[in-house]
Amino acid sequence: MTTDGQHNDRTALILYGSETGNAQDVAEELGRTTERLHFLTRVSDLDSVDISLLSHYSVILITISTTGQGDLPTNAQVFWRSLLRKRLSAGYLEDVDFTTFGLGDSSYPKFNWAARKLHKRLCQLGANEIYPRGEADEQHPEGLDASFLPWSTDLRTHLLARYPLPNGQTHIADDVLLQPKWTLEMVSESAETALNSDDYGKETGSLADEQPSSCLYQGSGPPSTSGVVSNTVPAMLTARVTKNSRLTPWTHWQDVRHLTLITSSEVSYAPGDTLTIHPKNFEEDVDHFLSLMGWTSIADKHMYFRPTLSVDGLKGYPPSPIQHSPPGPNLTLRNLLLNHLDITAIPRRSFFSLIAHFTADQMHKERLLEFTNPDYIDELYDYTTRPRRSILEVLQEFESVKIPWQLIGSVLPVLRGRRFSIASGGKHKGSETGGSRFELLVAIVKYRTVIKKIREGVCTRYLAALPEGSQINVLLQKGGLNITKAEAKRPVVMVGPGTGVAPMRSLIWERLAWAEQKAGQCQKNGYSDANGSLSSIGENVLFFGCRNREADCFYQAEWEELGEKMGLRVFTAFSRDQKQKVYVQDLLREQAEVVYRLLHNQSGLFYICGSSGRMPQAVRESLIGVFQRGGRMEREAAEAYLLTMEKEGRYKQETW
C-alpha cells in the first residue's frame, strides 16, 4: 500500500471520477486486480491526487464517467483544472504510464466525452498510453460489464507481461481472500457500559476524546495511529418534508409523488440543479438480513471501523467504508444496515467472488464462482440484472453463506444517494419562513420482474413512506444544463416526457420570474412596456409526454396559468389515449414549422430531459427531420446543424 507517494518499483495508482458510484466500483475492481499482481496499490478519486505525484507510480489506471454535457464528474474537476494550467510543458507527464476506461451512455450525443477529453490531455502532456483505452455503454443489453470484463481481462495479461513478477513469485490466486483495508470491531465491555450510561458525554470529556483517531468510532481497544486524514463529507442541508402527495390516481399503475422540502437557511439554486437524497433500508429487510447471517444477538452492540495495515501514518490510506455520513458514536450492525450499506442492490460480479469464501457448501461455492467467470457473463446477467435480483435475495438462496460481521464494510456496497432534478423555480423557490423551498417530482419505482417478483427502488420506496413533518438530510448539487439568466431573451424548446418535465417546470417558472423582475425594474425607472413582462424573454414551447390525460398529465393547471402569464405553449403526447401511440418525437414532427423557426431562424435553445434509452435518439431523429423539412436540407446538412447546436451549447440533454 503506498502511503506517502514515494517511488516504488511496482506501484499502481487507480483513480476514478464518479458521479453515481459506477466508476468507483470499476476502479475498486481494478485495484483488486493489481493487488493480486503484487502492485502496491492505491485507489482514490481524481481530486485527491496532485498531478506532480503521478510519475511516482509505475502505472496509472483511470476510470471516469461522463456527466452533464460531456463534463467530468464533480470529484474530478480539480484534477482536470490542474491539467489545463498553461504553464505545464508538453513533456510534463512524460514519465507517466497510464490507460483509461470510460463509462458512458450512448443516448447522449457526447458519449464518453470525459474519458476522451482526459485521455487526449494526458497524451498532450507527454503521458504514455500503455494499453488501449476502453469504453463502456450503459445502453448495452448486458450493461457495463459487457465491455469492462474483456477489457480488464486483457489488461491484466498486459500488466503481467509489461511488469513481470520477480522470479519465484506468483500472482495471488482468485480463491485467496485479499486482506480488507478496514474491519469492524466490537467496543470493549467497559466502553459499552459507559456508552449505555445516562451520564455519557456529560463529564469534561468523553470516551471519544480519549481515544486514538484511527477509527471512525472512537471506542476502546484499537492501537494508536496518528496522521489519519479525516473523511471529507459534503455539506448537507437539513430539510423538512412539508408535502408528500400522490399526483396520479390510485387506479393508475404508477405512483408519482410531488414532494416539497423546506430548509431553514436560504440557498440559491438554478434550473437543472439536483437534490441528492440518501435513503434508508426498511427495518423488516434489515431484521431478515441479521437473521440470515446469525447476527441478531449482536445487532445492537457498539462497533468501530479499524484500519488493518500497520503504517506510521495513514496519508493516502483508503477511506473508511462509510464516507458520506460518518456513523458517529452509535455505530452498530443494525445502524450500518439501516442507514449505510445497501442490501437490496443488484450484486456485482465481485460480490459473488467475495461471498464464495464464506460458505462450506461445495456446490454453493462452485455455483458462486461460476458467476465470477468472464465466460459466464450471460448467466450472471440472467441471474442478477435481468430479474433485478437483490443481495438479500442472493443470500436467501445461498443460505450456507455466512459473512463474518467484521468484514461487512468490505463485502456490502455503500447505500448511495439518489439524485433528483428539482422541479421548483421562480416564485416556488421561496419559503414563508425565510428558508428555501425545493419541489421534486418522483416516480415511485415498483414493478414485477420476469420471475414474477415485485421490485421496489430503495430510495423511492423510502420517499413514498416519508410522512409530512419528517426531517431528512439532502445534498444540493449543480446540474448539467448550465442554464443562465443571460439566455432569457432566447426562445426555448423543451422536451420533458414523464418526470423529465421536472427541470422544465423549474426553468419555465424561473424564466417568468426573470421577466417579471425585468418589468419591475423598467417600471421603477419610469419605462413603459406595452407587452408587459413578455418582451424580456423569448418564446417558450414545451413538449410533454404521458400515458393518459386523466392519469399522469402533471401540472396541467399550471400550464394553463403560465400560458396566460407568459404565452407558454404546451404540446402534449398522450401515448395511450388513442389506438395509435403518440410520443413527443411525433409532436416535434407535427410542429416542425414552430420548432424550425425557434431553433434555426431565431437561434433558440433546446432542452431534453427524461428517461435515457430510445427516447433521446428518437427526438434527435425528429429534429434532423425538422431541419431537413424546414430548411430543405439534405440529411448530412441537417445533422451538421444539430452538431453545431451542440457545440454552441444550444442543445442540452439530461437523461437518466
Side-chain angles (χ1 to χ4, degrees):
M1 171 63 57
T2 57
T3 59
D4 56 6
Q6 296 301 306
H7 182 78
N8 185 290
D9 289 339
R10 195 177 182 81
T11 56
L13 177 60
I14 319 297
L15 299 174
Y16 61 85
S18 185
E19 203 70 47
T20 62
N22 287 330
Q24 181 178 349
D25 288 342
V26 169
E28 289 170 351
E29 189 158 342
L30 288 175
R32 289 188 286 271
T33 297
T34 54
E35 279 191 64
R36 291 188 182 280
L37 301 182
H38 295 286
F39 283 88
L40 296 177
T41 298
R42 176 184 174 188
V43 180
S44 172
D45 66 274
L46 283 156
D47 280 355
S48 296
V49 174
D50 190 316
I51 63 171
S52 65
L53 299 179
L54 296 181
S55 60
H56 291 196
Y57 295 86
S58 306
V59 63
I60 312 289
L61 308 180
I62 302 175
T63 68
I64 188 166
S65 60
T66 298
T67 185
Q69 313 309 309
D71 302 319
L72 278 75
T74 304
N75 61 0
Q77 293 286 344
V78 174
F79 182 86
W80 176 241
R81 287 194 295 271
S82 68
L83 289 178
L84 297 179
R85 291 191 301 231
K86 292 183 179 179
R87 64 182 178 83
L88 298 181
S89 65
Y92 182 77
L93 297 179
E94 62 184 3
D95 294 326
V96 173
D97 292 344
F98 82 102
T99 189
T100 58
F101 187 83
L103 290 79
D105 184 332
S106 58
S107 70
Y108 277 79
K110 293 185 176 179
F111 171 62
N112 263 314
W113 209 254
R116 297 174 187 181
K117 285 195 300 187
L118 182 59
H119 177 271
K120 182 178 180 180
R121 183 56 180 160
L122 290 170
C123 290
Q124 287 175 344
L125 294 174
N128 310 298
E129 184 187 30
I130 60 156
Y131 183 74
R133 74 170 188 266
E135 291 185 350
D137 182 6
E138 284 190 6
Q139 296 301 319
H140 192 284
E142 294 171 354
L144 301 174
D145 278 348
S147 300
F148 176 67
L149 287 183
W151 182 85
S152 59
T153 300
D154 289 345
L155 172 65
R156 180 184 180 280
T157 302
H158 181 83
L159 290 175
L160 268 177
R162 187 179 181 92
Y163 308 97
L165 292 167
N167 290 334
Q169 190 176 48
T170 59
H171 69 272
I172 301 172
D174 291 340
D175 60 356
V176 175
L177 184 64
L178 293 173
Q179 182 182 15
K181 305 303 181 295
W182 296 82
T183 57
L184 196 62
E185 296 198 15
M186 196 175 296
V187 171
S188 67
E189 289 186 11
S190 59
E192 182 78 24
T193 301
L195 280 168
N196 292 327
S197 168
D198 292 337
D199 295 326
Y200 173 67
K202 292 182 180 179
E203 304 299 326
T204 55
S206 68
L207 286 177
D209 299 324
E210 302 170 3
Q211 301 306 318
S213 59
S214 62
C215 46
L216 273 186
Y217 165 69
Q218 282 77 23
S220 175
S224 177
T225 309
S226 60
V228 176
V229 179
S230 62
N231 293 314
T232 300
V233 180
M236 306 287 278
L237 299 170
T238 299
R240 181 167 51 89
V241 180
T242 61
K243 184 178 182 180
N244 186 354
S245 58
R246 177 168 176 153
L247 297 184
T248 50
W250 291 99
T251 54
H252 188 58
W253 68 279
Q254 187 172 43
D255 180 359
V256 178
R257 299 296 179 100
H258 180 93
L259 288 94
T260 301
L261 297 91
I262 303 293
T263 59
S264 58
S265 58
E266 188 173 347
V267 291
S268 62
Y269 61 90
D273 288 354
T274 64
L275 276 188
T276 296
I277 297 177
H278 289 275
K280 296 183 178 182
N281 288 309
F282 276 61
E283 290 186 6
E284 56 265 34
D285 291 338
V286 171
D287 288 341
H288 193 183
F289 191 97
L290 290 167
S291 177
L292 276 174
M293 293 298 104
W295 298 345
T296 303
S297 62
I298 59 170
D300 299 304
K301 296 285 187 180
H302 287 90
M303 309 275 184
Y304 61 86
F305 277 112
R306 174 179 179 173
T308 58
L309 299 182
S310 298
V311 289
D312 294 333
L314 293 184
K315 183 179 179 181
Y317 196 82
S320 73
I322 311 302
Q323 297 180 59
H324 78 263
S325 180
N330 294 317
L331 177 59
T332 64
L333 282 171
R334 190 184 305 279
N335 176 283
L336 277 173
L337 293 170
L338 275 172
N339 301 300
H340 302 287
L341 299 175
D342 199 342
I343 58 177
T344 61
I346 299 172
R348 292 182 59 85
R349 192 170 62 105
S350 56
F351 175 77
F352 292 95
S353 177
L354 282 170
I355 65 173
H357 293 284
F358 311 131
T359 176
D361 186 309
Q362 193 60 31
M363 288 184 62
H364 280 181
K365 187 181 188 73
E366 290 175 3
R367 180 60 173 156
L368 290 168
L369 290 176
E370 279 184 10
F371 289 132
T372 70
N373 189 334
D375 293 337
Y376 295 108
I377 184 174
D378 291 343
E379 283 195 37
L380 177 63
Y381 178 84
D382 288 340
Y383 181 72
T384 57
T385 305
R386 190 164 178 261
R388 317 299 291 178
R389 187 175 266 107
S390 70
I391 285 174
L392 182 56
E393 289 173 319
V394 169
L395 293 174
Q396 285 175 305
E397 295 186 17
F398 292 89
E399 71 276 1
S400 66
V401 172
K402 302 299 176 187
I403 302 170
W405 58 264
Q406 295 89 340
L407 304 183
I408 186 174
S410 302
V411 177
L412 296 180
V414 170
L415 188 58
R416 292 193 171 103
R418 271 61 167 179
R419 295 178 69 172
F420 296 93
S421 292
I422 299 170
S424 46
K427 70 176 186 179
H428 293 280
K429 293 166 69 174
S431 166
E432 295 177 356
T433 59
S436 291
R437 176 167 59 174
F438 299 89
E439 296 179 356
L440 304 177
L441 180 66
V442 178
I444 306 304
V445 179
K446 187 175 183 179
Y447 58 94
R448 193 179 300 274
T449 69
V450 293
I451 57 174
K452 308 302 181 185
K453 286 197 174 184
I454 297 294
R455 293 285 182 263
E456 297 182 75
V458 62
C459 193
T460 59
R461 178 189 178 193
Y462 165 71
L463 289 177
L466 271 181
E468 294 178 357
S470 302
Q471 285 197 336
I472 61 173
N473 290 328
V474 298
L475 177 65
L476 175 62
Q477 292 181 279
K478 183 177 176 59
L481 295 180
N482 302 317
I483 295 169
T484 65
K485 190 176 180 179
E487 300 170 336
K489 278 190 130 347
R490 282 189 164 184
V492 294
V493 176
M494 299 162 280
V495 175
T499 56
V501 80
M504 303 297 91
R505 177 180 183 261
S506 174
L507 174 59
I508 293 166
W509 280 110
E510 195 79 355
R511 283 171 67 86
L512 176 60
W514 291 338
E516 290 175 339
Q517 184 183 35
K518 181 69 173 179
Q521 291 173 348
C522 290
Q523 188 176 17
K524 183 178 179 180
N525 295 329
Y527 300 127
S528 61
D529 186 354
N531 294 319
S533 63
L534 295 182
S535 62
S536 63
I537 58 170
E539 286 187 53
N540 303 272
V541 176
L542 170 65
F543 289 88
F544 173 64
C546 62
R547 289 194 169 217
N548 312 104
R549 182 185 297 274
E550 302 302 324
D552 54 354
C553 188
F554 310 128
Y555 308 120
Q556 187 170 6
E558 286 189 20
W559 305 145
E560 294 172 2
E561 176 190 351
L562 289 162
E564 296 176 3
K565 286 186 174 181
M566 62 187 295
L568 173 69
R569 300 174 67 184
V570 180
F571 300 99
T572 305
F574 302 105
S575 64
R576 302 298 194 276
D577 276 353
Q578 60 284 314
K579 187 175 181 180
Q580 184 177 356
K581 294 178 182 178
V582 178
Y583 299 106
V584 286
Q585 57 265 32
D586 302 316
L587 294 190
L588 282 170
R589 288 191 293 268
E590 287 182 13
Q591 301 299 325
E593 185 178 340
V594 174
V595 175
Y596 183 81
R597 174 174 59 83
L598 297 180
L599 296 184
H600 187 275
N601 298 348
Q602 299 181 24
S603 299
L605 305 169
F606 184 85
Y607 298 101
I608 174 173
C609 297
S611 177
S612 63
R614 296 178 181 176
M615 185 273 293
Q617 187 57 42
V619 167
R620 286 181 66 85
E621 281 297 315
S622 290
L623 281 182
I624 291 170
V626 165
F627 297 142
Q628 284 182 280
R629 176 179 168 185
R632 296 194 176 100
M633 303 178 187
E634 295 295 329
R635 181 178 177 88
E636 185 176 346
E639 290 177 345
Y641 185 75
L642 188 55
L643 288 174
T644 299
M645 286 183 62
E646 293 169 6
K647 291 177 182 177
E648 294 174 350
R650 294 197 294 119
Y651 179 102
K652 298 180 182 180
Q653 177 178 329
E654 193 72 57
T655 52
W656 50 84

